[in-house]
């Protein structure tokens, strides 16, 4: 039985539904591969594998070959159906088909204006990376200032001023980077 005629049932409605385009192509590919393997398992090759049986009882050999081919085909198709079912390949490929069709229906440009220049994209990316680094460093400064406040010595006040200045410097650095990116 060619796998093109294979129809799955929808678990929600138990109604048979045909495959989507991608699943149909996958089924055809599996069927084509299976038919190529089975075609290669000819009577002549079977006779080479079992020469005495081919000589003594060629009808039994032909029947045995047909049984092996049928069992192999059924096993492969059963495994394929189980794989499709277990991994929900049919539904996922159908969802992919729907997404692709929706993307084709959308207008080519969904925003107005020219696309951003590559240097603008890079600037935004660097700016976001600097903001994350600033946050990380400010968190470290906060931790250090907590430790310094706990010591409360003459040097502690100088260290606190240094922490405040470093935080201000980091903020100015990030703001300056943002301004450079907008020019």
């Amino acid at each position: 039985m060619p796998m093109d005629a294979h129809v799955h049932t929808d678990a929600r409605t138990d109604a048979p539904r045909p495959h989507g385009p991608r699943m149909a192509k996958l089924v055809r590919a599996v069927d084509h591969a299976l038919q190529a393997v089975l075609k290669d398992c000819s009577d002549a090759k079977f006779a080479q594998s079992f020469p005495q049986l081919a000589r003594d009882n060629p009808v039994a050999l032909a029947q045995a070959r047909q049984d092996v081919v049928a069992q192999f085909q059924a096993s492969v198709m059963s495994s394929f159906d189980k794989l499709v079912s277990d991994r929900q390949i049919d539904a996922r490929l159908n969802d992919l088909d729907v997404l692709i069709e929706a993307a084709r229906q959308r207008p080519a440009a969904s925003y107005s204006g020219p696309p951003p220049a590559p240097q603008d994209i890079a600037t935004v990316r660097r700016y976001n990376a600097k903001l994350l680094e600033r946050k990380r460093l400010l968190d470290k400064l906060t931790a250090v200032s907590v430790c310094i406040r706990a010591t409360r010595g003459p040097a502690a006040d100088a260290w606190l001023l240094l922490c405040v200045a470093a935080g201000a410097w980091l903020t100015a650095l990030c703001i300056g980077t943002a301004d450079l990116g907008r020019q």
Side-chain angles (χ1 to χ4, degrees), residues 39-127:
K39 181 181 172 185
D40 202 34
C41 184
S42 66
D43 284 331
K45 288 187 180 180
F46 228 72
Q48 283 178 341
S49 299
F50 304 100
Q52 187 173 354
L53 185 59
R55 187 177 52 242
D56 295 344
N57 194 348
V59 175
L61 180 65
Q63 183 60 44
R65 181 194 159 276
Q66 286 177 351
D67 292 347
V68 167
V69 165
Q71 177 62 34
F72 179 73
Q73 188 173 17
S75 173
V76 168
M77 291 175 62
S78 172
S79 296
F80 179 72
D81 286 342
K82 182 174 179 353
L83 184 71
V84 166
S85 174
D86 289 351
R87 297 190 180 179
Q88 300 173 343
I89 293 172
D90 194 16
R92 291 178 182 190
L93 287 176
N94 287 340
D95 290 345
L96 180 61
D97 287 333
V98 169
L99 288 173
I100 289 171
E101 188 57 35
R104 286 185 181 142
Q105 299 299 325
R106 250 190 324 242
S110 60
Y111 62 90
S112 61
Q119 63 268 18
D120 294 340
I121 295 171
T123 301
V124 167
R125 201 163 211 162
R126 282 192 310 267
Y127 176 72

Side-chain angles (χ1 to χ4, degrees), residues 154-168:
D157 292 335
W159 276 106
L160 278 174
L161 283 175
L162 182 63
C163 287
V164 170

Side-chain angles (χ1 to χ4, degrees), residues 24-44:
K25 286 179 185 177
L26 177 63
V27 168
R28 280 194 303 271
V30 168
D31 188 45
H32 180 72
L34 179 61
Q35 295 307 319
V37 169
L38 295 178
K39 181 181 172 185
D40 202 34
C41 184
S42 66
D43 284 331

Side-chain angles (χ1 to χ4, degrees), residues 140-152 156 160:
K140 272 188 166 182
L141 281 172
T142 303
V144 168
S145 67
V146 168
C147 289
I148 291 172
R149 284 190 186 125
T151 61
R152 278 301 200 203
L160 278 174

